[in-house]
Amino acid sequence: MTPPRHRVLVVGGGNAGVSLAAKLLRGGCPDVGLVEPSPTHHYRPLLSYVAGGAATLDDLRRPQADVVPDGVHWHQDSVVAVDPDASVVHLAGGGELAYRDLVLCPGSRVDWDAVPGLRVACATPHASTSYLPEHAPQAWDMLSGLTSGRAVFVVSDRHVPCSPVGLKPLFLAADHWRSTGVLGDVTIDLVVEGSRLAGTARADQELRAAADDYGVRVRTGTVAERVDPAARTVHLRSADGTAAPDGTTLGYDALFVAPPHRAPGWVTTSGLAAEGTDGFVDVDPLTLQHRTHPRVWALGDVATVDTSPSGGALRKQVPVVAHNIPAHLVGAPLRHYDGYTVAPVTTSRHELLLAEHDREGHAEPTIPFPDLVRPRRSLYLFDRYVEPQVYWHRLLRGKVS
Ligand SMILES: Cc1cc2nc3c(=O)[nH]c(=O)nc-3n(C[C@H](O)[C@H](O)[C@H](O)COP(=O)(O)OP(=O)(O)OC[C@H]3O[C@@H](n4cnc5c(N)ncnc54)[C@H](O)[C@@H]3O)c2cc1C
């Protein structure tokens, strides 16, 4: 039997998939299919606020049925394999779907195996993450319950979505500890895999100053190699593979992690992954078109775009893919994605800065004035309260250009 065929089939109904499906329909695409297994849609950026005690899961969840655009054919299923030569995807439920163009945006997932002991540690009350909805509320229980001892915050740079936002729970918690009078009794260690706390030198400087103000001990270029949940220790090494220079083991009373991520395994088994990338889709970072299968496209956290993945990056990627699919069909020139990305990082429970930059790490501010790299109350209010409304009412409806 011939499988049902879509003009464009989108895999993954998260930030990228829903925004793109809506944008394609607005552009006149006659037939868009969407494969998404989850009945619930999450606005992920608020997870950092959940872990920092400034939001609840109810603030960030909506039924998926409410966000799938009218006119899009939603298949509530999971893709388990792609046959790019036959232009067919295989579904977990046993079905198949055919396509003219395929867009992959199933996101990335926590790579528990990258840090032995981490999964077991996160099942105890002493370790948690904001990167999974089922863990984020417990992160705040753990951080707010700490009144003395050592809190260790670990931020990986291995494909972590919008990795600098892993610092939000640290600054929200440190401000809480200060206001409850226990900051002096809590030792705070920050372990960051990259050389900076955010993508630009200016933002790095601001964040280091804020960390210094709370007495945080910052180690950059340092990796959490493994965790011993029974002993409550985290073992460190330097990112270049040698032992960490100043003591390789830290004990913890609370361990917060922004853990390494990897792509879904079926990307690799379908022959669509770039070599040496933990299975991320091998697209041209400029056009977002697959390098060897020109009817396959990818964007969002699963794509190799040579820049830090973020929801803000999708504001630029979605219009590029929505333009390039029909342009490729008629042989018109393709548009380019410049690598823009952004990380909004709180420095307290009232202020936030924006680190916006391009693929080369050059600052790329949305507006030239005022200076958005300086922590501001207005930016905090925008990120916590206005941006979610922009997400639900504009981005998911394809109103990005
Ligand atoms: C804790 C946290 C905080 C963040 N904070 C910010 C922030 O402040 N600012 C910012 O710009 N960005 C932030 N981000 C990053 C941003 O949320 C992501 O970059 C964005 O969600 C990526 O969108 P995506 O569609 O690629 O992936 P996702 O949003 O992860 O969506 C992927 C979708 O694919 C579905 N899927 C998975 N596998 C399959 C399959 N096999 N078949 C079909 N569907 C599948 C999933 O169910 C999911 O719905 C944050 C992310 C996290 C986790």
Side-chain angles (χ1 to χ4, degrees):
M1 224 171 68
T2 323
R5 183 176 187 275
H6 289 288
R7 167 68 191 80
V8 180
L9 182 63
V10 178
V11 177
N15 185 349
V18 172
S19 309
L20 179 73
K23 185 87 181 158
L24 287 167
L25 281 188
R26 282 181 180 276
C29 182
D31 169 31
V32 181
L34 175 71
V35 186
E36 165 60 55
S38 174
T40 308
H41 187 97
H42 295 90
Y43 173 60
R44 292 176 184 274
L46 278 188
L47 286 171
S48 307
Y49 289 99
V50 173
T56 68
L57 287 182
D58 284 346
D59 295 331
L60 60 93
R61 287 179 158 159
R62 296 245 170 125
Q64 186 73 23
D66 289 0
V67 302
V68 173
D70 290 342
V72 168
H73 190 130
W74 175 22
H75 302 268
Q76 191 170 0
D77 210 325
S78 297
V79 166
V80 290
V82 179
D83 181 344
D85 297 320
S87 297
V88 163
V89 303
H90 298 269
L91 304 175
E96 293 179 353
L97 295 170
Y99 58 83
R100 166 62 177 75
D101 282 280
L102 177 71
V103 188
L104 298 178
C105 32
S108 57
R109 53 214 54 198
V110 171
D111 185 0
W112 292 110
D113 295 339
V115 188
L118 184 59
R119 188 199 290 267
V120 174
C122 284
T124 73
H126 298 285
S128 197
T129 178
S130 55
Y131 274 80
L132 290 165
E134 58 272 30
H135 285 272
Q138 195 247 317
W140 180 241
D141 292 345
M142 171 185 82
L143 295 171
S144 59
L146 192 73
T147 51
S148 64
R150 174 175 263 156
V152 179
F153 292 81
V154 175
V155 180
S156 168
D157 72 352
R158 279 169 279 166
H159 310 291
V160 180
C162 205
S163 62
V165 304
L167 300 173
K168 274 175 163 166
L170 183 159
F171 285 114
L172 294 169
D175 195 9
H176 165 82
W177 290 325
R178 173 174 280 163
S179 70
T180 52
V182 301
L183 183 62
D185 301 319
V186 179
T187 304
I188 310 173
D189 284 274
L190 171 61
V191 176
V192 175
E193 193 163 335
S195 58
R196 290 174 172 168
L197 304 194
T200 65
R202 264 291 316 287
D204 178 57
Q205 210 178 11
E206 292 282 357
L207 291 171
R208 282 177 190 267
D212 196 45
D213 186 50
Y214 293 110
V216 178
R217 176 167 183 181
V218 177
R219 292 173 174 82
T220 49
T222 307
V223 177
E225 191 169 37
R226 66 193 151 83
V227 178
D228 182 338
R232 274 200 254 143
T233 53
V234 52
H235 299 263
L236 309 180
R237 65 170 167 77
S238 69
D240 63 15
T242 57
D246 55 352
T248 54
T249 302
L250 289 177
Y252 64 82
D253 298 292
L255 173 66
F256 174 89
V257 283
H261 279 56
R262 58 174 300 117
W266 52 263
V267 173
T268 299
T269 51
S270 301
L272 295 169
E275 266 182 41
T277 64
D278 292 327
F280 289 79
V281 184
D282 189 15
V283 289
D284 176 337
L286 301 180
T287 62
L288 307 178
Q289 183 177 37
H290 197 273
R291 290 185 197 268
T292 47
H293 299 284
R295 290 183 183 183
V296 177
W297 311 78
L299 73 165
D301 293 355
V302 82
T304 50
V305 290
D306 282 351
T307 194
S308 168
S310 70
L314 286 168
R315 288 206 305 268
K316 304 283 181 139
Q317 294 176 17
V318 166
V320 168
V321 177
H323 170 90
N324 286 353
I325 290 175
H328 178 250
L329 189 63
V330 297
L334 303 188
R335 271 175 63 177
H336 285 179
Y337 164 55
D338 72 352
Y340 170 88
T341 192
V342 57
V345 190
T346 49
T347 52
S348 71
R349 287 179 298 167
H350 310 287
E351 292 188 319
L352 176 140
L353 63 75
L354 282 188
E356 297 177 282
H357 56 92
D358 65 12
R359 192 170 275 125
E360 278 75 44
H362 301 131
E364 191 178 327
T366 305
I367 49 171
F369 180 81
D371 175 12
L372 303 182
V373 190
R374 218 189 77 202
R376 289 172 188 275
R377 183 168 176 73
S378 55
L379 285 175
Y380 181 97
L381 295 172
F382 187 83
D383 188 59
R384 170 60 187 85
Y385 297 104
V386 180
E387 194 69 53
Q389 299 310 316
V390 173
Y391 181 80
W392 300 118
H393 300 294
R394 292 196 61 78
L395 301 181
L396 291 190
R397 294 186 183 176
K399 295 179 181 172
V400 279
S401 52

